Amino acid sequence: LFFDTEHLKKQQKDLWDKLSEMQLENGSFPWFKGMNGSTFNTLKVAEILCQMQEMGIPLSSENQKVLKKSVDYLDKELTKSYNYIIRWNKENKNEFYISRLDLDILYVKTITGMTNSKAENYFLQQTEKYWTKLDLPDQAIAAIILNKIGKKTTAKTMPSLPGAISTLAPMGRMRVTRP
């Protein structure tokens, strides 16, 4: 049963069908059937699909449609975030404003290549200009994003993850969270 390829293929198809059924018309995924869509859930589904593609696992045409609808939804959420910043911070719109959610949406959009919106360009500029204000895990995501869009020089100047580990005798090994 565990190694029966036909059984595994059927289970995989059933899971993909359930996933497709859960996706709402606007492209988002709710926590449970009947609920409103969740940006977080949609982001996680899109990230998993992107990571599958990055690992060389081909997506079926149905899964590609699910991913496209998800990315379209996430782009609208990114635009809402951008509009909020522009509306409420007119005099300071060039200051650092990027949330982890915005950064994760940028990650999905750059991995899929489904890019090029005004909001996205704003957040890409923010990421390139203010990456030093991000904590270490966010800097890692920023490096991937900047590398994907061809900003290899900036991505290479970011500190390495192993280089951010310190060893202090009384405390042992620990991660340095700020450069």
Side-chain angles (χ1 to χ4, degrees):
L1 186 65
F2 290 116
F3 299 106
D4 180 5
T5 56
E6 289 306 312
H7 178 72
L8 291 173
K9 284 180 183 178
K10 183 186 178 321
Q11 277 189 317
Q12 185 179 27
K13 184 182 178 344
D14 291 346
L15 288 171
W16 284 119
D17 289 345
K18 285 180 184 178
L19 184 67
S20 295
E21 288 171 16
M22 284 293 288
Q23 190 172 33
L24 302 177
E25 228 16 74
N26 65 0
S28 66
F29 286 91
W31 282 93
F32 299 102
K33 210 170 196 136
M35 294 179 74
N36 291 331
S38 163
T39 303
F40 177 79
N41 282 354
T42 306
L43 179 62
K44 291 304 162 194
V45 169
E47 279 180 350
I48 289 167
L49 292 172
C50 287
Q51 289 165 352
M52 287 173 63
Q53 281 185 321
E54 287 287 295
M55 293 186 321
I57 300 170
L59 297 180
S60 69
S61 61
E62 183 63 34
N63 296 342
Q64 288 175 353
K65 288 177 189 172
V66 167
L67 179 58
K68 175 149 182 22
K69 279 178 71 174
S70 298
V71 172
D72 289 345
Y73 171 81
L74 293 170
D75 189 48
K76 289 175 187 162
E77 292 300 305
L78 193 66
T79 300
K80 282 182 194 175
S81 182
Y82 168 75
N83 288 336
Y84 180 82
I85 291 168
I86 297 304
R87 182 175 177 201
W88 295 109
N89 298 302
K90 290 178 184 164
E91 65 279 349
N92 298 322
K93 69 180 178 184
N94 290 323
E95 289 185 19
F96 176 66
Y97 297 107
I98 188 165
S99 69
R100 176 61 188 255
L101 183 66
D102 297 332
L103 198 61
D104 286 343
I105 292 172
L106 280 179
Y107 169 77
V108 167
K109 288 181 61 68
T110 54
I111 294 295
T112 60
M114 298 178 196
T115 58
N116 206 8
S117 69
K118 188 175 183 180
E120 181 182 350
N121 290 333
Y122 170 79
F123 286 115
L124 286 171
Q125 289 170 356
Q126 288 276 302
T127 303
E128 184 176 11
K129 187 174 181 180
Y130 297 110
W131 66 267
T132 57
K133 293 186 180 206
L134 298 169
D135 61 13
L136 195 62
D138 291 349
Q139 283 184 10
I141 293 171
I144 293 168
I145 292 167
L146 294 172
N147 190 48
K148 271 289 196 192
I149 64 167
K151 306 281 186 179
K152 295 180 188 315
T153 306
T154 306
K156 284 181 182 176
T157 61
M158 294 180 172
S160 70
L161 294 177
I165 303 293
S166 293
T167 303
L168 298 173
M171 292 188 263
R173 293 184 68 162
M174 61 184 198
R175 189 181 85 199
V176 178
T177 58
R178 292 280 177 194

